[in-house]
Amino acid sequence: MVGSGALLRQCPLLLPQNREGTAYEGFVTAQGRDFHIRVLLPMDLQLKNARIECSWHLKKILHGYRHILKQRLQSCPDLASFMVELKTVLEIALKNTQDLHIPRPPEYYSCLVRDLEILGWNKVAYVDTGLTTIKLKAEDSCGRQHLITLKLNAKYPKEPPDCLVDFPVQFAISWMPQNSLTDIYDQFLAALESLKEFWDAMDEIDGKTWVLEPENPTRSATTRRIAIGSNVSVNIEVDPRHPDMLPECCFLGADHAVNPLRIKLNNNMHLWDPEISLLQNLKDLLEIDFPSRAVLEKSDFAKDCGICYAYRLDGTTPDQVCDDPRCGQPFHQACLYEWLQGLPSSRQSFHVIFGECPYCNKVRKSNGNE
């Protein structure tokens, strides 16, 4: 169970329900209240494909924050990190739910309308009927469109609104009682520019290569799984604060195909040049050209799973490949794990299970959190 110690510290009332660490049930605590929750993970323990089940009361409280929680599931590295994010969002939701029942003084509305007029209504994308939730739109210097959602409480402007953004890093505002929405907007613009190089790098990858996962990346997503060839890909994790540095790379595919790429990466690391783009650096270090969107179709290298005969399963794509060059059949991690578990001849060591490939009988291994 990955990060079980950290999870126990953050949520002592959320306990594992099985040995595989794929099911957790218990309570999440916020503002002194306990809320029942159940977390179900797939066999590969990928958080982005987790299912969250909760009581109708908690579901109602979090209703307006579903898109935020979905983003956090995509970007958090483990369950402990996500539970921290969930508790933070729940604290905000509870505070705003309580605020709905607090009558706002006339000064609240006059101050807010004045702030909106000074900021400019052309920057407003949405305002709810109660003037408690506002979405502001902005364009960065590269023409990318962004939104910031503001949840205002009854004590505005003495207390700052809660700010929700689609960023790969935390966005914290500096606030004084004399500040206004314009100050938040200016800080939002500054944060957009600080992330410009990161988004430039990710946009180049999205535009010039075939990205297998995530299928529709959000602005907060820091990973990309890029196709290299048939059943061969690389998963990169880019540091949004230092996008010009070598990202973490994990190669996926048969050993005979990915081992030469690992060797080239290790041998050429010293060639990394922060003055050129991340994509060009990857090409230079790996001594390859990534399949072009202009020349090849995704079907040229995105092959269906040899067990379920589908390409996408619960948001995942086949990333396990038979090591036999004459076979090379790809599988979903969950499908292969389930297949090997069902073989009478398979053997298991801790979370690693060994058994024959369903196509060529070569011994394969599968790990629930590989």
Side-chain angles (χ1 to χ4, degrees), residues 1 4 7-8 15 24 29 35 88 95 99 128 134 190 235 243 248 262 267 271 274 302 350 365:
M1 285 169 277
S4 56
L7 183 63
L8 188 62
L15 301 175
Y24 290 82
T29 304
F35 298 91
T88 302
K95 187 167 70 171
D99 285 341
D128 71 341
I134 298 169
N235 196 74
E248 288 186 32
R262 291 193 186 105
N267 290 345
L271 299 176
F350 297 101
K365 69 175 182 178

Side-chain angles (χ1 to χ4, degrees), residues 296-314:
L296 296 172
E297 296 294 327
K298 197 170 187 177
S299 58
D300 291 330
F301 40 79
K303 306 299 182 185
D304 292 345
C305 171
I307 294 174
C308 74
Y309 304 111
Y311 177 65
R312 197 164 291 280
L313 176 70
D314 295 331

Side-chain angles (χ1 to χ4, degrees), residues 202 205-206 211 213-214 217 221-226 234-236:
M202 303 311 259
I205 290 170
D206 292 339
V211 173
E213 295 180 274
T222 58
T223 62
R224 294 292 190 275
R225 182 179 161 211
I226 310 169
V234 60
N235 196 74
I236 64 168

Side-chain angles (χ1 to χ4, degrees), residues 85-340:
E85 297 276 4
L86 174 61
K87 287 170 71 174
T88 302
V89 171
L90 183 53
E91 292 277 357
I92 293 171
L94 285 169
K95 187 167 70 171
N96 287 326
T97 301
Q98 292 163 2
D99 285 341
L100 290 175
H101 306 293
I102 301 174
R104 273 129 165 98
E107 305 85 62
Y108 168 89
Y109 297 102
S110 59
C111 178
L112 182 56
V113 170
R114 185 195 69 229
D115 282 358
L116 288 169
E117 287 177 345
I118 294 172
L119 176 65
W121 288 98
N122 61 320
K123 296 183 177 69
V124 178
Y126 167 83
V127 181
D128 71 341
T129 53
L131 290 181
T132 59
T133 301
I134 298 169
K135 293 185 179 183
L136 303 177
K137 56 186 177 182
E139 187 176 284
D140 63 27
S141 57
C142 291
R144 289 178 286 250
Q145 300 294 320
H146 303 270
L147 286 175
I148 178 170
T149 301
L150 308 178
K151 301 277 188 179
L152 295 97
N153 63 47
K155 295 181 181 178
Y156 177 86
K158 289 183 180 179
E159 292 184 3
D162 293 311
C163 303
L164 305 171
V165 293
D166 187 11
F167 281 6
V169 295
Q170 187 177 7
F171 176 65
I173 61 168
S174 174
W175 184 265
M176 299 286 285
Q178 64 268 27
N179 286 147
S180 67
L181 296 184
T182 302
D183 297 296
I184 293 179
Y185 194 78
D186 290 343
Q187 292 177 54
F188 181 51
L189 291 177
L192 292 180
E193 289 312 299
S194 73
L195 291 165
K196 174 185 176 299
E197 291 184 11
F198 167 73
W199 284 324
D200 285 347
M202 303 311 259
D203 282 355
E204 183 183 21
I205 290 170
D206 292 339
K208 295 184 178 179
T209 71
W210 278 110
V211 173
L212 303 178
E213 295 180 274
E215 192 172 14
N216 297 298
T218 61
R219 287 293 175 198
S220 60
T222 58
T223 62
R224 294 292 190 275
R225 182 179 161 211
I226 310 169
I228 295 177
S230 181
N231 301 326
V232 184
S233 59
V234 60
N235 196 74
I236 64 168
E237 174 86 35
V238 182
D239 184 346
R241 294 295 190 194
H242 306 284
D244 56 349
M245 292 175 58
L246 175 65
E248 288 186 32
C249 298
C250 175
F251 295 99
L252 301 166
D255 287 345
H256 71 273
V258 301
N259 283 341
L261 293 170
R262 291 193 186 105
I263 292 169
K264 285 178 182 177
L265 180 65
N266 290 331
N267 290 345
N268 295 334
M269 274 186 185
H270 65 283
L271 299 176
W272 186 271
D273 183 358
E275 297 301 317
I276 63 176
S277 76
L278 187 152
L279 182 59
Q280 188 58 52
N281 267 309
L282 288 175
K283 289 180 181 180
D284 293 345
L285 267 61
L286 299 176
E287 300 174 15
I288 60 169
D289 273 323
F290 290 100
S292 168
R293 299 178 71 92
V295 178
L296 296 172
E297 296 294 327
K298 197 170 187 177
S299 58
D300 291 330
F301 40 79
K303 306 299 182 185
D304 292 345
C305 171
I307 294 174
C308 74
Y309 304 111
Y311 177 65
R312 197 164 291 280
L313 176 70
D314 295 331
T316 66
T317 59
D319 60 5
Q320 304 296 303
V321 181
C322 180
D323 291 333
D324 191 328
R326 294 167 298 180
C327 178
Q329 181 66 48
F331 309 99
H332 293 114
Q333 171 66 36
C335 291
L336 182 61
Y337 190 82
E338 188 175 341
W339 166 271
L340 296 178

